[in-house]
Amino acid sequence: MEILNFTKMQGTGNDFIVIEDLEGKYNDLGILAKKLCDRHYGIGADGILVVRKSSIADIQMIIMNADGSYASMCGNGIRCFAKYIYEKKYVLGENIKIETGDGVKIASICAYDGVFKGVTINMGKYNFNPISIPALSSVEIINKKLETNNKEYYITSLLMGVPHTIVFGKLDDYEVCEGKFIEHNCLFPQKTNVNFCEVVDKNMIKVKTWERGAGPTLACGTGSCAAVAAANRLGYTEGRVKVQVPGGILNIEIVEGEVLMEGPAEIAFKGEFLIS
C-alpha cells in the first residue's frame, strides 16, 4: 500500500483533486485519475490536477479528466491550481507562470497581507479555425445547424484551449445530457465540450455545460470563456460579461483578443488516499 496525500478543491462547483508529483513517479495518470475521481470507491471529482516541475514556466499543471482522458486546459482547474501553488509558496510573488497543455498561462493572484483573495487567469486567445478545434468543416462553424438526437441545434464551435461548442437559446429548452450527442458527433474527431448558453443581456449570460470526459459539471471555466467569445462574435454581448453557471459566477473579459477569467477557488478538504 502507498499513501497519497491530496487536496480536494473546487471552483464554482467544478471539483478537483490536487496531487504532487514533482519527481514524476506516477507513470499512468489516467488510471490514477479514474481511481481517485470515482465518487463511490474513490475521493470523487471531475478531474485531477497534478503538480510537476517545469522547464519553461514556474510550475507545470497536468489535467486528467474523471474518465482518465487527458485535458490540455481547464479554467476552473487552473484557478484552484494557482491558489494551491501560491499558498504552498512554491512560487513567490503574485504573478505565476503555469505550464499547461495549451501553453504557459499567467495567473495574477489577488492577496492581502499574503492571504489569497482571488485570481485572474489570462486564458489566451480563442480560435474559430475549424482545423484548430479540430472540426471537419471547410468554414468556421458559426450558428450552423446540426441535426442529432432527433433534434436541431444551432452550434458555434471554437478552440479555447480545448474544443468547445456553444448552443444559444433558453436553458429550459435543453437538458444538459443532450450534450453527449453533440460531443460524439462525427463533426468533431476529438470530441467536443458542449455549452448551452442563454443570453440575459449585453453583460450577462447563463451557461450549463456537458464536459468532454466528465459529463455534466457545475461549472466550466474554458466553456464560460468560449461562450463569451462566441456571444461576442455574434454580437450578443460586449467585452466584459458576468457568466452565471450552476456553481456560481465567473467574470470574463475580452481584451485585444485575449480572454481574462476571474472567479473563486476554494479548498474543500485534505487527506490521504491508500493506493493498492
Side-chain angles (χ1 to χ4, degrees):
M1 289 282 190
E2 178 186 353
I3 295 177
L4 174 68
N5 293 303
F6 72 88
T7 298
K8 179 72 181 293
M9 303 188 72
Q10 62 89 12
T12 51
N14 203 184
D15 59 341
F16 307 93
I17 299 161
V18 183
I19 63 172
E20 297 186 12
D21 189 26
L22 295 171
E23 304 305 320
K25 69 177 182 179
Y26 296 114
N27 295 318
D28 198 329
L29 292 176
I31 291 177
L32 183 61
K34 290 172 71 174
K35 182 176 293 188
L36 295 179
C37 292
D38 191 292
R39 296 190 185 274
H40 300 286
Y41 298 102
I43 301 164
D46 293 322
I48 67 171
L49 308 176
V50 184
V51 183
R52 281 189 174 168
K53 295 177 182 176
S54 172
S55 61
I56 62 172
D58 295 321
I59 201 78
Q60 181 183 12
M61 175 182 70
I62 296 177
I63 311 157
M64 304 299 296
N65 292 317
D67 68 351
S69 61
Y70 170 77
S72 58
M73 185 55 187
C74 175
N76 291 313
I78 197 172
R79 292 199 318 276
C80 292
F81 188 87
K83 175 182 171 69
Y84 181 89
I85 294 302
Y86 178 79
E87 294 188 340
K88 293 279 283 191
K89 294 183 168 55
Y90 281 133
V91 177
L92 300 179
E94 297 177 356
N95 289 306
I96 304 173
K97 296 179 180 179
I98 302 172
E99 178 186 350
T100 75
D102 186 44
V104 176
K105 306 298 181 185
I106 306 297
S108 300
I109 304 294
C110 176
Y112 297 97
D113 295 327
V115 178
F116 179 93
K117 296 297 183 181
V119 60
T120 298
I121 308 291
N122 186 329
M123 299 287 286
K125 295 182 181 295
Y126 49 85
N127 190 344
F128 287 93
N129 188 331
I131 295 174
S132 301
I133 294 172
L136 302 179
S137 175
S138 59
V139 296
E140 291 182 343
I141 302 171
I142 307 293
N143 209 27
K144 175 182 178 180
K145 184 170 75 172
L146 177 70
E147 295 183 7
T148 186
N149 184 34
N150 297 316
K151 195 169 180 178
E152 289 184 355
Y153 302 90
Y154 284 85
I155 64 171
T156 298
S157 298
L158 66 154
L159 182 73
M160 188 70 244
V162 288
H164 279 283
T165 295
I166 318 300
V167 179
F168 289 99
K170 294 290 185 182
L171 290 189
D172 289 343
D173 292 341
Y174 303 101
E175 296 292 335
V176 70
C177 289
E178 294 178 42
K180 64 186 175 183
F181 299 103
I182 301 174
E183 175 196 2
H184 293 280
N185 190 274
C186 61
L187 182 62
F188 306 104
Q190 295 181 19
K191 299 188 287 187
T192 181
N193 298 282
V194 182
N195 308 277
F196 298 97
C197 178
E198 179 176 335
V199 178
V200 178
D201 56 39
K202 286 283 188 179
N203 302 110
M204 184 173 182
I205 62 175
K206 298 178 181 179
V207 175
K208 61 183 181 182
T209 297
W210 173 271
E211 282 198 38
R212 178 184 65 169
T217 57
L218 293 178
C220 178
T222 54
S224 295
C225 292
V228 170
N232 190 261
R233 171 70 182 268
L234 290 165
Y236 298 154
T237 59
E238 297 175 349
R240 184 172 178 82
V241 179
K242 189 179 295 292
V243 182
Q244 180 180 320
V245 296
I249 297 290
L250 295 171
N251 294 300
I252 311 295
E253 185 175 10
I254 299 177
V255 181
E256 296 180 355
E258 295 191 332
V259 184
L260 304 180
M261 175 194 59
E262 182 272 328
E266 298 179 358
I267 293 174
F269 58 89
K270 300 179 182 181
E272 297 177 341
F273 187 83
L274 295 178
I275 301 178
S276 58

